[in-house]
Amino acid sequence: MRIFKLPDLGEGLQEAEIVTWHVKPGDAIQADQPLLSVETAKAIVEIPSPFGGQVAKLFAQPGDIVHLGAPLVGFEGAGASDDAGTVVGAVKVGTHVVHEGDTRVGAAGVQGGHGIKATPAVRALARKLSVDLAMVTPSGRDGVITATDVQRVATTLAELGPAEIVRGVRRAMAQNMARAQSEVAAATVMDDADLHAWQTVGTARGHDITIRLVRALVAGVRAEPALNAWYEGHTGRRHVLERIDVGIAADLPEGLFVPVLRNVGKRDAADLRTGLDRMRADIQARTIAPEEMRGNTITLSNFGMIAGRYAAPIVVPPTVAILGAGRIRDEVVAAGGVPAVHRVMPLSLTFDHRVVTGGEAARFLRAVIADLERPD
């Protein structure tokens, strides 16, 4: 039997979730015919058969998460005569990996990995009841989790019913946000752009808000190039990038997608709108190419299209900045010494304070506002 294993899908991806098999045991298949579809942190990818032969065994089922190099399918027949090795034992697939530190007893109580304090007996009870100790609020002295604490959470979970396993795009989002929170020294600066010069009557209609924001972001980068950069936290190296590739956060029921508009400083508004519409259509159809969601140099989140004024958007490494735009609203402002009602857009800029100074961030935001307040 020849074993085909999950190949390297690029971009450092280490795992994929099986979406569907296009074959079943006993089927004959030719080389390059569709074998299965998998979902990665980037997109749904169709994997072709590497050679022809008869499918003898499928090592994973739809919904399983398979790691790089794990067996996918076994082949028999003429096209699979060259033995690529056999698999011994069960193939382990799952949805998460639990790392538990050594337990020790000290002056502050009984301590375990990740700051969780619990005795070995309580940890064993938690495993028996399928309770994640990170979800448990401790009631014991010095923050030690007791058996009663674990049982309380187990009872609550039983009342809630089976939990939904976070998969696909939402799973990737959870991993990226956790990484961002652990690595980035985030700081946020906020201000407003007065859109009165847009010469509209009562609304901001007639303007492509997202594309205007992209243009304003370009103005910000030209004023302060340090925000269009990648930072390697583990090596301390910074790359200030000349080309501006903007990741545009897109909210879908499946989770957060961030397609990338390339080289936005060299493209006109019509070209940018065409490119953004195409990518959004591809996202909704789940046909967007993985490379179109990689390599952004800075990020834009126009969350105000839904709701909200200000926010503290999350900077995802290796980028160092994200600009958020809140809901445009009517507001009373001082104009020529008298009150007037103008249209105002709230803006929130989060930056990685490890490599971006407060002054650089403020000057970037000032340039963004100045561009947005232009009438054209």
Side-chain angles (χ1 to χ4, degrees):
M1 181 185 294
R2 187 170 188 180
I3 307 299
F4 175 54
K5 301 176 182 179
L6 180 66
D8 186 354
L9 299 174
E11 213 46 38
L13 299 173
Q14 297 298 307
E15 61 188 20
E17 178 182 337
I18 307 296
V19 176
T20 185
W21 284 100
H22 302 303
V23 295
K24 62 182 182 298
D27 285 353
I29 188 172
Q30 299 296 319
D32 297 326
Q33 284 186 346
L35 184 63
L36 76 160
S37 295
V38 300
E39 184 169 27
T40 70
K42 303 293 184 180
I44 292 179
V45 178
E46 188 174 85
I47 298 177
S49 179
F51 35 70
Q54 185 178 49
V55 176
K57 183 176 181 180
L58 304 181
F59 289 94
Q61 300 302 315
D64 286 345
I65 294 172
V66 182
H67 294 274
L68 179 66
L72 287 176
V73 59
F75 292 91
E76 292 179 342
S81 57
D82 295 330
D83 186 14
T86 59
V87 177
V88 178
V91 177
K92 295 183 179 180
V93 296
T95 58
H96 65 281
V97 178
V98 177
H99 299 279
E100 182 172 276
D102 294 334
T103 300
R104 65 181 178 86
V105 179
V110 182
Q111 300 182 351
H114 310 289
I116 296 172
K117 300 178 182 180
T119 65
V122 169
R123 291 181 180 274
L125 176 63
R127 286 192 292 269
K128 179 180 178 181
L129 298 179
S130 299
V131 171
D132 182 352
L133 286 175
M135 298 175 60
V136 181
T137 301
S139 65
R141 184 177 178 180
D142 295 325
V144 174
I145 296 173
T146 68
T148 301
D149 297 331
V150 172
Q151 291 165 344
R152 181 181 63 251
V153 173
T155 300
T156 301
L157 292 175
E159 293 171 350
L160 293 175
E164 174 192 2
I165 297 175
V166 177
R167 298 183 180 278
V169 178
R170 286 189 182 274
R171 184 168 180 270
M173 179 178 68
Q175 293 170 337
N176 288 335
M177 295 302 105
R179 176 189 171 206
Q181 287 290 82
S182 66
E183 291 186 21
V184 175
T188 302
V189 60
M190 305 172 183
D191 207 336
D192 295 323
D194 188 328
L195 308 182
H196 187 66
W198 286 15
Q199 298 178 345
T200 58
V201 181
T203 72
R205 287 193 296 267
H207 293 268
D208 190 328
I209 306 297
T210 300
I211 300 305
R212 280 299 302 265
L213 282 165
V214 170
R215 190 186 79 177
L217 188 148
V218 171
V221 168
R222 288 173 177 164
E224 284 294 343
L227 278 79
N228 190 60
W230 289 338
Y231 178 58
E232 301 174 20
H234 64 289
T235 63
R237 294 187 298 185
R238 182 182 69 154
H239 306 266
V240 177
L241 305 165
E242 181 177 352
R243 197 172 88 164
I244 307 170
D245 293 337
V246 181
I248 309 287
D251 176 72
L252 269 74
E254 294 87 351
L256 179 67
F257 291 78
V258 187
V260 182
L261 275 175
R262 307 288 180 185
N263 205 18
V264 297
K266 303 293 185 180
R267 299 167 64 179
D268 61 27
D271 186 33
L272 290 172
R273 170 47 59 188
T274 299
L276 185 58
D277 287 344
R278 179 188 56 79
M279 287 194 300
R280 283 182 170 166
D282 289 345
I283 288 173
Q284 290 173 339
R286 300 305 306 277
T287 58
I288 189 166
E291 57 268 22
E292 294 201 60
M293 293 195 292
R294 299 169 179 161
N296 59 305
T297 61
I298 193 167
T299 309
L300 172 66
S301 175
N302 188 10
F303 62 84
M305 296 176 64
I306 303 171
R309 290 191 180 186
Y310 304 100
I314 303 296
V315 176
V316 177
T319 63
V320 300
I322 177 172
L323 178 67
R327 179 175 55 85
I328 298 173
R329 66 191 188 277
D330 290 330
E331 187 166 294
V332 177
V333 300
V338 298
V341 177
H342 287 189
R343 298 292 279 170
V344 172
M345 176 189 288
L347 298 168
S348 304
L349 173 68
T350 297
F351 58 97
D352 189 341
H353 218 334
R354 294 179 299 175
V355 286
V356 178
T357 71
E360 288 169 335
R363 286 187 290 271
F364 175 96
L365 188 57
R366 181 177 64 190
V368 168
I369 292 170
D371 190 85
L372 284 171
E373 291 183 343
R374 289 170 50 188
D376 57 326

